[in-house]
């Protein structure tokens, strides 16, 4: 086996069953996606975008945090596309790390499918896909199923907010947004039970992320915490392998 690659099997051939299982596994997260999508639709109108422009942003960009940042900048009168693009790029730098993590598996897929999966990659689809990969095998159809459901839900909920937002009170006040962090915890905790190194890496990432969020501007704390924790994990895993 090549160094750095997971022992998980890679199944590049599309599988209807994997696609269906992904839809089932992703469904609970939708409770947290919908309020944010509706809020995005409402914010777009508030910032001066038309309903169609707001919906097309969700269809063509599909990056919740970046869309909120871009809409806020437009609402504040910042119309320079270079500034908006650069700012949203910084917000989404974590996708470099997620993409690198999935690259050994996705490289086995056809190029058009790789491009599609890269476009629809989100925190939620990544977490679900990488969790299943570590627990069994990687399937492009599984990742596609999770991503398609999240993408469709985001676009539809944005449209609901854009056209019917006046009929809703603050969607984030529903409390359903807790579904997303709760899902991440459900995926994370079983992984932490496997060995002590993962517990140490998680603790370092958590401390650095919280400290960075308090002390650093923007979203740099995400990148710093990920890189530092990854470096520590690689060092500890290397020491573990040498001891064996």
């Amino acid at each position: 086996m090549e160094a750095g690659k997971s022992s998980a099997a890679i199944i590049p051939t599309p599988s209807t069953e994997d696609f269906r299982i992904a839809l089932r596994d992703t469904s609970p997260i939708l409770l947290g996606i919908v309020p944010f999508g509706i809020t995005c639709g409402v914010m777009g109108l508030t910032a001066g975008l038309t309903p169609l422009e707001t919906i097309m942003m969700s269809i063509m960009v599909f990056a919740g945090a970046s869309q909120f940042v871009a809409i806020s900048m437009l609402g504040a009168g910042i119309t320079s596309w270079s500034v908006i693009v650069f700012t949203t790029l910084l917000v989404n730098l974590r996708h470099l790390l997620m993409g690198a993590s999935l690259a050994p598996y996705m490289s086995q897929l056809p190029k058009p499918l790789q491009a599609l999966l890269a476009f629809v990659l989100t925190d939620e689809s990544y977490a679900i896909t990488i969790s299943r990969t570590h627990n069994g095998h990687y399937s492009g159809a599984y990742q596609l199923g999770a991503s398609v459901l999240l993408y469709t839900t985001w676009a539809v909920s944005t449209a609901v907010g854009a056209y019917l937002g006046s009929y809703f009170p603050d969607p984030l006040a529903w409390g359903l947004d807790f579904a997303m962090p709760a899902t991440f915890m459900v995926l994370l905790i079983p992984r932490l039970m496997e060995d002590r190194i993962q517990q140490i890496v998680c603790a370092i990432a958590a401390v650095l992320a919280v400290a960075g969020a308090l002390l650093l501007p923007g979203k740099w704390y995400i990148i710093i915490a990920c890189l530092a924790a990854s470096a520590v994990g690689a060092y500890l895993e290397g020491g573990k392998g040498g001891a064996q």
Side-chain angles (χ1 to χ4, degrees):
M1 182 182 300
E2 295 181 21
K5 284 193 177 182
S6 169
S7 59
I10 301 174
I11 300 181
T13 305
S15 165
T16 303
E17 179 64 14
D18 283 339
F19 190 93
R20 184 190 64 79
I21 293 173
L23 297 182
R24 180 200 66 192
D25 293 348
T26 310
S27 295
I29 301 180
L30 303 184
L31 290 174
I33 296 291
V34 170
F36 280 102
I38 294 175
T39 301
C40 182
V42 174
M43 284 183 61
L45 300 184
T46 304
L49 299 178
T50 66
L52 180 59
E53 289 171 338
T54 304
I55 295 168
M56 289 304 296
M57 177 184 282
S58 283
I59 291 175
M60 299 179 67
V61 178
F62 187 46
S66 292
Q67 288 180 235
F68 280 116
V69 170
I71 289 173
S72 297
M73 294 176 73
L74 290 172
I78 301 174
T79 57
S80 171
W81 286 107
S82 60
V83 174
I84 294 175
V85 169
F86 180 72
T87 303
T88 53
L89 174 64
L90 294 181
V91 172
N92 271 343
L93 280 177
R94 67 190 185 282
H95 282 248
L96 293 175
L97 302 175
M98 293 190 292
S101 173
L102 289 172
Y105 309 107
M106 291 177 61
S107 62
Q108 308 296 317
L109 303 174
K111 295 296 183 182
L113 182 55
Q114 289 184 42
L116 175 61
L117 291 177
F119 169 69
V120 293
L121 180 65
T122 63
D123 300 320
E124 295 81 11
S125 62
Y126 171 79
I128 292 174
T129 300
I130 203 67
S131 177
R132 187 170 191 264
T133 299
H134 288 161
N135 292 327
H137 65 266
Y138 172 82
S139 167
Y142 184 90
Q143 184 179 351
L144 180 63
S147 299
V148 165
L149 182 58
L150 291 167
Y151 178 81
T152 303
T153 301
W154 179 254
V156 171
S157 58
T158 299
V160 171
Y163 284 107
L164 303 175
S166 60
Y167 295 97
F168 293 96
D170 180 9
L172 297 182
W174 300 348
L176 298 178
D177 51 305
F178 182 74
M180 284 194 287
T183 300
F184 287 138
M185 293 299 293
V186 169
L187 295 173
L188 174 64
I189 291 175
R191 299 283 301 162
L192 296 181
M193 298 297 104
E194 294 181 4
D195 62 66
R196 184 168 178 78
I197 290 179
Q198 296 194 37
Q199 296 170 10
I200 294 173
V201 169
C202 181
I204 291 173
V207 171
L208 290 177
V210 172
L214 295 174
L215 300 174
L216 298 175
K219 302 293 182 179
W220 285 105
Y221 66 92
I222 299 176
I223 302 300
I224 292 173
C226 287
L227 291 178
S230 297
V232 172
Y235 174 78
L236 294 177
E237 287 286 355
K240 179 181 177 182
Q244 294 175 350

